[in-house]
Amino acid sequence: MAIDRSQQQDLAFHALLDWLNPNRDRAADDYVRLHRRLAKMFEARGCLTPEDCADETFNRIGSQLIEGKEIRTDNPTFYINGVARHVLLEQWSKPVQEQIEDLPAEKLPQDNHRELNEKQEKERWHSCLEKCLQTLPQESRQLLLEYYAEDKTQKIETRSRMAKQLGVAAGVLRNRIFKLRNSLRGCVATCLAR
Amino acid sequence: MSSQNDHHALIVNYLLGRLSETELESFERNYLADESLFEELQEVEDELIDDFASDALTIDQKLAFEKYFLRSSERREKLAFATAMTERAVAWQKGTLVSIETPARDLSSVELFDNSNSKQHLMFWQGSVPAWRQWVAVAAAVLLAVVIGVLWFRNRELQRQVITTDANYARLRQEVDAQSKATAETKAELSAEQQQTQMLESQVEQLQTSPPDKIHDTIVNIVLGIDYLVGATRGGEKKVKTLAVPANARLVRLTLNVAASSFESFNILLRRDGERVVWRRSGLKAKPAGRTLNLTIPAENLLPGDYQVLVLGAPPEGDAELIGRYFLKVERKRATK
């Protein structure tokens, strides 16, 4: 009995999970983590749709598995890395038009309409940022503002001073800023999406 | 310390596309196998964006940043955030400095006279005084009067500045109060979003640390056919698909059938009770054969309730356009013994 494309994809996905780890729970965890890492890697290498590239990498491995290919490796990430490099090479060899579509706005021809949109967009950004900053506790808000107002050409000195003031190690401060920034960025993105 | 700096420089050079092919290969092999390196890379990436926004990169780094790093749309969004945040922080810093530099109001302690030798001065004036000394005394008195006048004017000027500063301060306070009032309404809503973000983070942590057990039904597949898609413009009959998620499920795979359209890329928003976005994916591409979109979501994000799956077509430029929505009812099955 012939199976349709959707069923084939499901089979491939299950085969991939089995290959990642015989324990399904562990496999699912591995899949989520590796997909995230892979997408970030594709982004760093200039893939325009990193999530798609990561999907494609896993789809290919899944397809190879259901076709009967036996992939023996001590560390699946090495094999995934190899397949990912192939996917990347194919992305790069695609027509240039796709890249032009995703060029930064400032690199595209300018017109008055665009400038007006950019101005409105900037106002929306600031409005959402202000709203979101107000939701942060006073201390966190002050910490972020101090961090962003600092002279970043002397950041080592400035950050060690800030860390000293807070009574924490520089690494802890860096991690705290990272989490606060992420939280605030998420809030702004939600606000902008409304 | 030096090796830490080298490591940091390696990540920066990776992000700016300045590693050789051999270095790239070695870095990415380690990166895929090491979760901590992934986290570090994210931190360094954010810092790089902040540095660019505040003009702290070297000329070479700036060029690589603009030419290579900014090709990703997500990074451009992050840069927009960093730029807005830097502008806001600089404005805040200037505001802070103004309040610190407000002149002291108490000028009463300024002493203009020294009376300790008043008795001697009296004796001096009571004795016989030569004419030239009298003229010198008159000149000194005139000079003293001038000095007092200047000081009086200066004092008045300072008081005026204090009053102006107070007025400015009061006006700024009013503006801040008004702004706080305006944001109060959205504050509760945004707090809920933050809680949701924290919940997502804890769920991811839980996924990473949960012990193995003998659970089946780890992955739930559900297909939402085209007949379930309610269009944005022409409407359509609302059909609700029920998704029963086993208690032990870890992942839910949604297969969405969408009508053929000119869009090559799609954004998906999963909203609970029509309001909260519990999951989002952008840049999804429909498979050419079936016009289907696949979405994988950690099952723990799907609490029981009513959901809408919003499908937006993303044109190469401009805002995404709502194509339609699916209605989904999520139920959680009890764990079987």
Side-chain angles (χ1 to χ4, degrees):
Chain A
M1 192 177 69
I3 55 171
D4 65 20
R5 190 184 172 85
S6 173
Q7 285 174 311
Q8 199 170 8
Q9 281 183 348
D10 281 343
L11 282 174
F13 187 64
H14 283 263
L16 172 77
L17 291 179
D18 287 339
W19 177 72
L20 284 175
N21 198 312
N23 179 291
R24 270 295 162 88
D25 285 347
R26 295 267 188 207
D29 292 347
D30 287 349
Y31 173 80
V32 170
R33 281 207 303 268
L34 285 169
H35 191 282
R36 213 169 42 161
R37 271 182 248 169
L38 207 49
K40 179 57 80 182
M41 189 182 98
F42 277 117
E43 185 188 37
R45 297 295 294 273
C47 175
L48 296 174
T49 50
E51 303 274 342
D52 262 3
C53 290
D55 282 344
E56 181 60 25
T57 305
F58 283 127
N59 286 345
R60 283 190 193 186
I61 299 172
S63 300
Q64 289 172 355
L65 290 165
I66 57 170
E67 282 163 10
K69 182 170 181 178
E70 198 172 341
I71 306 170
R72 289 181 180 276
T73 173
D74 293 336
N75 190 339
T77 59
F78 294 164
Y79 189 77
I80 293 167
N81 188 27
V83 177
R85 294 176 82 79
H86 281 288
V87 172
L88 198 58
L89 286 173
E90 286 171 24
Q91 283 292 313
W92 286 342
S93 62
K94 278 188 176 175
V96 184
Q97 281 90 333
E98 284 198 23
Q99 294 179 2
I100 291 170
E101 287 172 2
D102 207 29
L103 274 175
E106 60 272 18
K107 296 266 171 87
L108 293 170
Q110 303 289 310
D111 58 43
N112 291 339
H113 183 61
R114 176 181 296 284
E115 281 172 13
L116 184 66
N117 283 345
E118 280 174 3
K119 195 180 170 190
Q120 287 171 344
E121 191 64 14
K122 195 174 178 184
E123 282 170 6
R124 280 185 69 218
W125 264 98
H126 280 279
S127 164
C128 282
L129 181 64
E130 203 55 49
K131 282 177 188 168
C132 291
L133 273 172
Q134 294 304 323
T135 66
L136 292 179
Q138 167 72 22
E139 279 179 18
S140 304
R141 185 165 61 237
Q142 181 136 349
L143 178 66
L144 266 185
L145 288 170
E146 273 179 28
Y147 166 80
Y148 273 97
E150 77 184 15
D151 178 2
K152 293 204 171 48
T153 55
Q154 296 175 359
K155 65 180 169 191
I156 295 173
E157 294 81 1
T158 318
R159 286 178 198 174
S160 60
R161 178 181 51 77
M162 284 172 73
K164 203 172 175 184
Q165 280 173 355
L166 288 168
V168 297
V172 174
L173 172 70
R174 187 185 186 189
N175 193 255
R176 196 177 286 178
I177 299 274
F178 177 73
K179 285 182 175 168
L180 275 173
R181 188 199 290 114
N182 265 351
S183 164
L184 189 64
R185 209 156 44 199
C187 174
V188 171
T190 309
C191 172
L192 288 171
R194 287 205 179 101
Chain B
M1 183 61 100
S2 170
S3 108
Q4 268 185 359
N5 288 343
D6 289 348
H7 185 60
H8 185 270
L10 179 71
I11 298 176
V12 169
N13 284 332
Y14 173 70
L15 291 168
L16 294 178
R18 302 201 301 184
L19 294 186
S20 67
E21 194 54 37
T22 320
E23 289 170 322
L24 264 175
E25 202 170 328
S26 158
F27 181 86
E28 285 177 346
R29 268 169 79 97
N30 293 333
Y31 161 80
L32 273 182
D34 184 357
E35 182 74 10
S36 66
L37 186 51
F38 167 68
E39 284 165 11
E40 198 177 349
L41 184 126
Q42 284 184 300
E43 287 183 9
V44 174
E45 181 181 281
D46 282 354
E47 285 182 4
L48 199 59
I49 293 167
D50 292 342
D51 287 351
F52 181 81
S54 56
D55 202 22
L57 296 183
T58 63
I59 293 170
D60 285 351
Q61 285 177 329
K62 265 187 219 169
L63 283 173
F65 188 95
E66 286 168 350
K67 196 175 170 186
Y68 183 86
F69 185 88
L70 278 186
R71 283 189 294 183
S72 145
S73 56
E74 192 180 330
R75 285 174 175 172
R76 290 199 296 275
E77 279 177 23
K78 284 182 176 179
L79 177 61
F81 170 84
T83 306
M85 192 62 203
T86 305
E87 286 172 4
R88 174 67 180 81
V90 169
W92 166 83
Q93 192 182 43
K94 283 179 183 169
T96 307
L97 289 179
V98 165
S99 68
I100 290 169
E101 287 172 359
T102 302
R105 297 177 193 188
D106 185 9
L107 300 176
S108 60
S109 60
V110 177
E111 288 187 3
L112 299 177
F113 300 101
D114 180 2
N115 294 323
S116 59
N117 295 324
S118 56
K119 195 176 276 183
Q120 287 177 9
H121 290 169
L122 191 65
M123 287 166 71
F124 176 83
W125 286 108
Q126 280 173 344
S128 167
V129 180
W132 67 270
R133 280 194 174 179
Q134 286 183 29
W135 281 113
V136 167
V138 169
V142 169
L143 188 64
L144 189 65
V146 169
V147 168
I148 289 170
V150 168
L151 287 173
W152 182 79
F153 275 113
R154 177 84 183 126
N155 187 24
R156 205 172 67 155
E157 187 64 25
L158 285 171
Q159 281 181 338
R160 194 177 293 159
Q161 283 179 13
V162 168
I163 290 164
T164 311
T165 308
D166 279 349
N168 284 340
Y169 178 76
R171 185 174 53 78
L172 284 171
R173 246 342 299 167
Q174 278 179 349
E175 283 176 13
V176 169
D177 288 346
Q179 212 167 34
S180 301
K181 198 176 174 184
T183 54
E185 289 174 7
T186 53
K187 199 171 179 178
E189 199 179 341
L190 289 165
S191 309
E193 294 281 359
Q194 279 191 323
Q195 282 175 0
Q196 193 181 322
T197 307
Q198 284 170 358
M199 190 179 75
L200 284 172
E201 281 176 2
S202 66
Q203 281 172 349
V204 170
E205 278 174 22
Q206 205 179 345
L207 275 170
Q208 289 170 350
T209 55
S210 61
D213 52 32
K214 299 170 184 174
I215 300 164
H216 299 291
D217 298 331
T218 304
I219 301 152
V220 183
N221 290 296
I222 182 166
V223 179
L224 289 164
I226 190 76
D227 51 324
Y228 281 88
L229 181 68
V230 179
T233 49
R234 58 188 163 78
E237 188 191 350
K238 177 183 169 183
K239 286 173 73 178
V240 181
K241 182 100 173 180
T242 301
L243 167 63
V245 183
N248 302 322
R250 307 302 296 261
L251 293 170
V252 173
R253 297 197 82 213
L254 292 180
T255 302
L256 312 174
N257 290 331
V258 290
S261 69
S262 58
F263 294 111
E264 289 185 4
S265 180
F266 296 85
N267 298 342
I268 306 292
L269 292 176
L270 181 64
R271 287 178 183 243
R272 185 159 183 260
D273 296 322
E275 286 181 9
R276 292 181 189 174
V277 177
V278 296
W279 198 257
R280 66 173 70 233
R281 266 296 291 277
S282 56
L284 273 181
K285 296 209 168 162
K287 302 299 170 198
R291 307 302 294 173
T292 60
L293 298 166
N294 289 315
L295 189 67
T296 307
I297 305 168
E300 303 227 352
N301 289 353
L302 291 170
L303 299 172
D306 294 323
Y307 290 80
Q308 286 185 25
V309 184
L310 274 63
V311 181
L312 294 96
E317 259 187 69
D319 293 336
E321 183 186 315
L322 181 66
I323 291 173
R325 62 189 78 202
Y326 298 93
F327 292 90
L328 195 63
K329 183 181 179 66
V330 174
E331 293 175 355
R332 302 294 297 211
K333 287 183 189 170
R334 288 178 183 278
T336 51
K337 290 183 181 175

